[in-house]
Amino acid sequence: MALAFGVDVGGSGIKGALVDLETGELAQERQKIKTPIPATPKAVAEVIGELIRKCEVPEGTPIGVALPAPQRHGTVMFMANLDQSWVGVNVCDAIEKYTGYKVRSVNDADAAGYAEVAYGAAKDNHGVVIVTTLGTGIGSALVVDGVLVPNTELGHIEIDGHDAEQKAAASVREKKKLSWDKWAKRLQKYYSTLQMLFTPDLFVVGGGVSRHHEKFLPKLDLKTPIKPAELRNTAGIVGAAILAAKDK
Ligand code: BGC
């Protein structure tokens, strides 16, 4: 079985598992460790090292890390939801420095989007697919005919003078105790703006909240088909793992 190890760094937890590259399924139970506060490069790297050991990752296995920030060749360009000391840091170099493990890094939403295209809701879909993850922030992956256009950061488009994720992320629904109806109105605005800007063929909605998709997706009125993600909370892990294996 061809395996790779995927790590998904989130605002509340850092999760990892070995992934079966043929099926895109987890090859072991997913392990989760709380995101350290502050989530500095050193603190996050140490948790990643701990996950690698806990999961008994065999030597030589490709390791991919999905981080919630845009990265140019691995260097963090800006950081919305983890410690600001990540800005300007090369993710792979930092993780190797603090743990000794060599990894590949990718934006978390790009990883999730790539996994949905490879194994999930956008499989065999041609044309322009936008995968969004609704969580602490809003992440996006733009995939055109199966090719990922990285770092799109569509969670930060400005709508009515506001950063979109600060109005429509799943964390905002929880924090502000918004009803599904009220939150869906915000999502309506968000997805209609993306629709107007990109004319996509498909939207895929991921993030933990997508397991409640029947509570909000049917309330949206869009010309673009919109589907819940299929890999749900494993997409980041799976995408990071397959991208790491591909780059090796
Ligand atoms: C970050 C993105 C990330 C998204 C989801 C945004 O705030 O800027 O890089 O993909 O949150 O975690």
Side-chain angles (χ1 to χ4, degrees):
M1 193 197 291
L3 292 176
F5 188 68
V7 178
D8 190 6
V9 179
S12 53
I14 303 182
K15 296 140 274 179
L18 282 164
V19 175
D20 176 343
L21 294 170
E22 265 126 64
T23 62
E25 279 162 18
L26 301 194
Q28 65 183 175
E29 206 186 316
R30 187 180 76 134
Q31 297 290 334
K32 179 172 173 176
I33 298 178
K34 270 196 163 174
T35 307
I37 302 173
T40 57
K42 182 168 188 280
V44 169
E46 281 168 358
V47 170
I48 293 172
E50 201 179 323
L51 278 173
I52 294 170
R53 288 186 293 275
K54 210 168 169 186
C55 293
E56 299 179 346
V57 177
E59 226 185 290
T61 308
I63 301 174
V65 172
L67 196 82
Q71 299 156 46
R72 179 180 286 147
H73 306 298
T75 298
V76 172
M77 305 307 287
F78 69 82
M79 180 57 88
N81 296 309
L82 295 184
D83 198 72
Q84 288 307 309
S85 56
W86 276 100
V87 178
V89 167
N90 182 283
V91 182
C92 306
D93 291 352
I95 295 172
E96 189 175 359
K97 175 170 160 204
Y98 296 119
T99 69
Y101 293 110
K102 277 198 189 314
V103 304
R104 302 272 164 174
S105 77
V106 61
N107 171 265
D108 59 350
D110 282 340
Y114 198 75
E116 289 296 334
V117 169
Y119 304 107
K123 195 165 187 263
D124 303 323
N125 238 278
H126 298 290
V128 177
V129 178
I130 296 182
V131 181
T132 52
T133 59
L134 304 176
T136 308
I138 297 183
S140 63
L142 174 64
V143 187
V144 184
D145 289 331
V147 177
L148 174 70
V149 182
N151 297 315
T152 44
E153 292 295 326
L154 301 179
H156 297 296
I157 54 171
E158 194 180 306
I159 302 179
D160 294 341
H162 298 281
D163 185 52
E165 77 171 21
Q166 289 186 12
K167 286 279 164 192
S171 62
V172 177
R173 184 188 71 84
E174 285 166 20
K175 234 179 280 154
K176 298 246 148 101
K177 301 199 167 49
L178 298 178
S179 64
W180 291 105
D181 260 349
K182 283 223 168 96
W183 188 52
K185 289 212 173 86
R186 295 182 178 201
L187 293 178
Q188 175 68 37
K189 183 144 238 178
Y190 180 62
Y191 287 107
S192 345
T193 305
L194 291 189
Q195 175 175 266
M196 185 261 290
L197 293 173
F198 292 91
T199 317
D201 294 292
L202 175 67
F203 284 124
V204 176
V205 181
V209 74
S210 64
R211 67 173 175 272
H212 304 298
H213 59 89
E214 73 297 338
K215 299 229 166 73
F216 60 97
L217 287 189
K219 298 185 196 290
L220 303 184
D221 181 16
L222 298 161
K223 293 196 189 87
T224 312
I226 185 159
K227 284 199 211 168
E230 280 173 16
L231 283 90
R232 308 278 157 84
N233 57 6
T234 64
I237 294 177
V238 172
I242 47 181
L243 286 166
K246 222 173 132 214
D247 279 1
K248 259 222 144 175

